[in-house]
Amino acid sequence: MKILDGNKTVTLDYEQLGNLPVVSEQGEKNVLNLLRNGEISTSSSVQKFERRFADYVGSKYALTYCNGTSALEAAVFACNAGPGTEVIVPSFTFLSTVMVVLANQATPVFADIDPDTWALSAETIAPHITEKTKAIIVVHVWGTPCDMDPIMELARKHNIKVIEDASHAHGARYKGKSVGSIGDIGCFSFQGSKLVPGGEAGILVSDDLMLYSRAAAAGHYERLAPLGPDNPYSRYSQTGLGHKFRANPLAIALADAAMDTLDARNEIRDRQARVLEAGIADLDFLIPQAIPADSRRVYAYHYMLYDPAKFGGVNPSTLMLALAEEGVICGACGYGRLHQAPAILEGGGFGNVNPHDTPVSLPVSEDMGRRQIMVALRFEQECPELIDQYIAAYHKVAANMEKLQAYERENGIRSFDLSGRSISIISADN
Ligand SMILES: Cc1ncc(COP(=O)(O)O)c(C=O)c1O
């Protein structure tokens, strides 16, 4: 039995009207070319792509990795964050942002997020700075830039490095600069669901030759000799300093094709998201993410904050279930719980890290995790009719608050399994 009477409101097909294939024709061509040349492990096309990406974000150096996680792990290593040191991180993020700190045997120190931007801010970071702090990892969550100027000012004052996790934010800008190029190091994921999908791959960018060199030593032994005999890391060219994190050229070839259309596709995605947001702006129980002044967000993920106090106390899961039954593809967010995860409390898998004996309390992160709703998957094409149907579905649900309350009274509150992923789609059938 549906919560609301009548037929499903969204009848048009997202896959057909709103989505596009992950791999473009150009991507297929790029990959085929490499396959035919046998360039499946090393290829000069990878260095060409690194130059292209560095130029795109406006950084001096770029180095690809086998995924965004390994790029972040190398970034933490590059900042000299190892045993006995601390790295300030959000909990409202994907697991990699935090687990790479443990992988370096440094201690992740959790800071809460700002309730409007949903990201770390100078105010939330400041109380956690100690003599042991080596770095801060900020996340441009969902594609919205963090307010970087105050964060950089704070970090400079304390001589702490800033790593930007820009895995959601390819093409986003803050005060005239690309995200990723503002901190000391920027990391991007090219995982298959990202705005630049490559499969499994990632990239690190920096303006600082020493950070770049140390990051290269963390995963790219073959990139060390070319740094030249005066570079302190070239002496490790036989072995590197620990890992082999080379990217697969086939994945980079896909990312390269995605870069051809990134700006144009961001325009389309952003336009569609703004139409949806304008169409439901009258629903005061859904609050958009705040964007810092003079910034451009991208819509990798379209989350909004749900305020049950403005909707008769209806639980977020009941709201999502009703929307899903109306045909809206919506989802819950599993973020904001990393500080309570067993691996964190036990100090990670690689030892030598001070465990946190009790979970820290991060009231804003925990609350945001429970109340954020992905209002739609990103729209990759102009699809006004489909978006109209979404807007109608939101209004139908909004007009029937009592039915949702009655459903809750009779059936209780449905709990959905949240994974560590950035989206857990809510299905009307589960
Ligand atoms: C915020 C964030 N950081 C890091 C990563 C890690 O990237 P990857 O999956 O390429 O390892 C992801 C995505 O997967 C992410 O969403």
Side-chain angles (χ1 to χ4, degrees):
M1 261 282 278
K2 256 170 108 249
I3 300 176
L4 303 186
D5 300 331
N7 293 332
K8 238 175 156 170
T9 315
V10 180
T11 53
L12 296 170
D13 183 10
Y14 167 79
E15 283 308 322
Q16 211 187 343
L17 292 178
N19 206 0
L20 280 177
V22 175
V23 177
S24 63
E25 273 180 36
Q26 187 60 46
E28 287 179 15
K29 274 191 207 149
N30 289 358
V31 168
L32 205 52
N33 212 10
L34 292 180
L35 288 177
R36 289 190 172 141
N37 290 336
E39 296 175 53
I40 58 170
S41 192
T42 55
S43 167
S44 60
S45 61
V46 172
Q47 271 99 330
K48 253 195 238 155
F49 175 81
E50 288 167 350
R51 190 64 261 148
R52 175 186 195 181
F53 197 87
D55 291 343
Y56 178 82
V57 298
S59 290
K60 276 196 196 147
Y61 307 102
L63 190 54
T64 49
Y65 284 81
C66 51
N67 51 29
T69 306
S70 49
L72 279 167
E73 186 172 328
V76 171
F77 180 79
C79 295
N80 275 308
T85 71
E86 297 175 349
V87 179
I88 297 174
V89 289
S91 176
F92 194 80
T93 182
F94 183 68
L95 58 97
S96 306
T97 317
V98 173
M99 296 312 286
V100 296
V101 178
L102 288 175
N104 275 284
Q105 299 183 21
T107 303
V109 173
F110 290 97
D112 214 341
I113 49 171
D114 178 272
D116 299 321
T117 63
W118 313 341
L120 295 190
S121 70
E123 288 75 33
T124 68
I125 292 165
H128 300 285
I129 294 177
T130 70
E131 281 152 29
K132 294 184 187 162
T133 312
K134 284 284 182 191
I136 303 163
I137 309 181
V138 298
V139 180
H140 303 297
V141 70
W142 308 141
T144 297
C146 300
D147 196 4
M148 290 301 292
D149 279 353
I151 294 173
M152 293 310 297
E153 200 183 312
L154 178 71
R156 292 289 173 257
K157 196 167 113 196
H158 293 275
N159 199 20
I160 296 168
K161 300 284 185 237
V162 174
I163 299 168
E164 296 176 72
D165 182 348
S167 296
H168 297 174
H170 314 69
R173 298 180 72 78
Y174 174 85
K175 300 193 176 169
K177 284 184 159 178
S178 275
V179 300
S181 71
I182 305 161
D184 298 284
I185 298 181
C187 295
F188 294 79
S189 164
F190 299 137
Q191 184 264 346
S193 68
K194 300 297 189 295
L195 295 182
V196 177
E200 288 296 323
I203 201 163
L204 172 153
V205 297
S206 183
D207 279 340
D208 183 316
L209 179 61
M210 279 310 120
L211 291 177
Y212 164 83
S213 305
R214 197 167 158 79
H220 284 275
Y221 73 93
E222 80 283 18
R223 298 295 185 97
L224 300 176
L227 294 172
D230 294 338
N231 185 299
Y233 293 96
S234 60
R235 62 195 284 263
Y236 304 114
S237 64
Q238 187 188 347
T239 54
L241 282 177
H243 293 301
K244 179 166 171 283
F245 281 157
R246 188 190 293 154
N248 185 329
L250 302 176
I252 297 304
L254 293 177
D256 195 32
M259 286 301 293
D260 295 347
T261 56
L262 175 64
D263 288 340
R265 286 183 64 173
N266 271 341
E267 285 297 328
I268 293 171
R269 291 187 274 251
D270 297 359
R271 237 181 356 256
Q272 310 317 297
R274 284 196 292 265
V275 171
L276 175 62
E277 223 159 84
I280 57 177
D282 57 322
L283 307 180
D284 64 351
F285 57 82
L286 290 174
I287 303 153
Q289 184 175 13
I291 305 169
D294 201 7
S295 301
R296 187 253 167 105
R297 77 158 290 177
V298 291
Y299 282 87
Y301 304 88
H302 196 168
Y303 274 93
M304 294 180 82
L305 181 62
Y306 168 54
D307 183 356
K310 298 219 165 83
F311 196 54
V314 168
N315 190 277
S317 64
T318 311
L319 175 62
M320 285 186 279
L321 187 59
L323 288 165
E325 286 181 348
E326 291 305 318
V328 169
I329 304 176
C330 60
C333 147
Y335 285 9
R337 303 174 299 155
L338 289 169
H339 57 295
Q340 301 159 333
I344 300 294
L345 299 176
E346 292 162 16
F350 301 116
N352 211 18
V353 177
N354 287 339
H356 302 250
D357 36 15
T358 48
V360 291
S361 162
L362 300 173
V364 181
S365 305
E366 291 162 27
D367 180 44
M368 295 289 133
R370 284 191 289 266
R371 290 200 286 127
Q372 290 203 5
I373 293 182
M374 187 199 69
V375 293
L377 285 173
R378 60 180 184 249
F379 298 106
E380 299 281 1
Q381 306 188 55
E382 303 276 354
C383 51
E385 295 88 359
L386 177 59
I387 296 174
D388 275 351
Q389 290 196 337
Y390 266 62
I391 294 169
Y394 273 91
H395 282 100
K396 178 175 174 186
V397 171
N400 282 286
M401 184 183 82
E402 291 81 8
K403 291 225 167 88
L404 275 71
Q405 289 169 322
Y407 175 88
E408 268 183 13
R409 275 196 302 277
E410 283 157 33
N411 301 281
I413 289 161
R414 272 281 260 292
S415 68
F416 296 102
D417 273 347
L418 290 181
S419 69
R421 282 201 304 267
S422 305
I423 309 176
S424 298
I425 301 280
I426 298 298
S427 154
D429 314 315
N430 62 18

